[in-house]
Amino acid sequence: MGLLDRLAGLLGLKKKEVHVLCLGLDNSGKTTIINKLKPSNAQTQDIVPTIGFNIEKFKTSSLSFTVFDMSGQGRYRNLWEHYYKEGMAIIFVVDSSDKLRMVVAKEELETLLNHPDIKHRRIPILFFANKMDVRDALSAVKVSQMMLLETIKDKPWHICASDGLKGEGLQEGVDWLQDQIQAMKI
Ligand code: G3D
């Protein structure tokens, strides 16, 4: 059983679905993290793989995930923004070892937070400061500063240092998300 199935079971969410968007630049570690979280029998469905960008959707017993990259696909942006509406929680993955592209990640986060389908909703956002194992990776505190997370006042957010390869830090993040989803009383 994956971490998320346990989470769903604890929450008694067998009937309801929570849509979680997993976002971040390409190569930040989204697929690696999600693969650690999902149960082996999760149904994966690649959608729109033919037009140049990947959106992956899969379901656990009650959590429905949509994973996509936010960089390099500007011309497809309006297609993936279509999924924002159904998102009830966000996992945003940052590559802590990629200082050069952190500014791009910050800009993508800003664009996301200003989107009309996100802006006025109290969606919980879990940040993973991923690739903590890499030498010279920035700390979660430093990532949080560079991403200007303190300026997010109208949504609950949390940042966890993670090592997607070993799965370290993921449980802490999922625990936080569980509390937030529970508080949403869906
Ligand atoms: P994406 O889905 O966001 O594009 P991936 O990112 O999950 O495909 O990961 C991109 C690369 O980073 C992969 O390496 C993956 O193994 C690696 N990676 C993911 N998480 C971590 C981490 O915490 N630490 C380290 N050191 N590497 C990580 P490859 O070589 O397959 O491209």
Side-chain angles (χ1 to χ4, degrees):
M1 198 190 260
L3 280 176
L4 291 170
D5 251 6
R6 248 168 39 217
L7 161 65
L10 284 172
L11 293 174
L13 288 174
K14 289 291 174 212
K15 297 254 155 44
K16 292 176 184 166
E17 278 192 7
V18 176
H19 292 269
V20 182
L21 303 174
C22 183
L23 319 175
L25 302 187
D26 59 284
N27 203 47
S28 55
K30 296 180 297 299
T31 314
T32 309
I33 287 178
I34 289 296
N35 278 332
K36 277 277 183 323
L37 296 180
K38 71 181 170 189
S40 49
N41 61 353
Q43 289 180 353
T44 299
Q45 177 198 354
D46 278 323
I47 40 178
V48 285
T50 51
I51 56 166
F53 78 111
N54 280 315
I55 291 185
E56 187 192 343
K57 271 194 160 223
F58 69 89
K59 277 185 181 187
T60 64
S61 54
S62 61
L63 295 168
S64 174
F65 279 77
T66 307
V67 185
F68 47 85
D69 291 324
M70 304 179 78
S71 63
Q73 292 96 5
R75 63 202 158 120
Y76 300 120
R77 183 182 290 276
N78 57 350
L79 285 177
W80 45 260
E81 281 178 346
H82 159 79
Y83 295 94
Y84 285 178
K85 261 199 185 76
E86 65 188 33
M88 293 154 78
I90 292 173
I91 296 177
F92 194 106
V93 182
V94 182
D95 180 346
S96 315
S97 70
D98 191 349
K99 288 160 208 142
L100 283 178
R101 289 212 305 161
M102 193 104 27
V103 66
V104 183
K106 176 184 138 297
E107 282 164 9
E108 287 295 352
L109 175 64
E110 258 166 36
T111 307
L112 168 74
L113 293 174
N114 283 318
H115 191 278
D117 290 335
I118 301 285
K119 195 174 168 72
H120 300 294
R121 296 167 57 210
R122 266 188 72 80
I123 307 177
I125 310 179
L126 169 63
F127 293 91
F128 280 121
N130 196 39
K131 305 199 185 181
M132 271 305 147
D133 56 300
V134 176
R135 212 169 145 257
D136 295 334
L138 298 175
S139 68
V141 171
K142 193 74 193 149
V143 170
S144 159
Q145 285 166 354
M146 287 190 73
M147 297 285 292
L148 302 180
L149 300 190
E150 293 296 336
T151 62
I152 306 174
K153 304 285 187 204
D154 56 350
K155 292 175 181 45
W157 60 269
H158 183 71
I159 186 164
C160 290
S162 66
D163 175 343
L165 296 180
K166 293 208 192 89
E168 286 170 10
L170 304 186
Q171 181 71 58
E172 181 200 330
V174 168
D175 285 349
W176 178 83
L177 209 55
Q178 169 184 326
D179 289 347
Q180 296 302 316
I181 293 172
Q182 216 152 17
M184 280 156 50
K185 293 197 176 61
I186 43 168

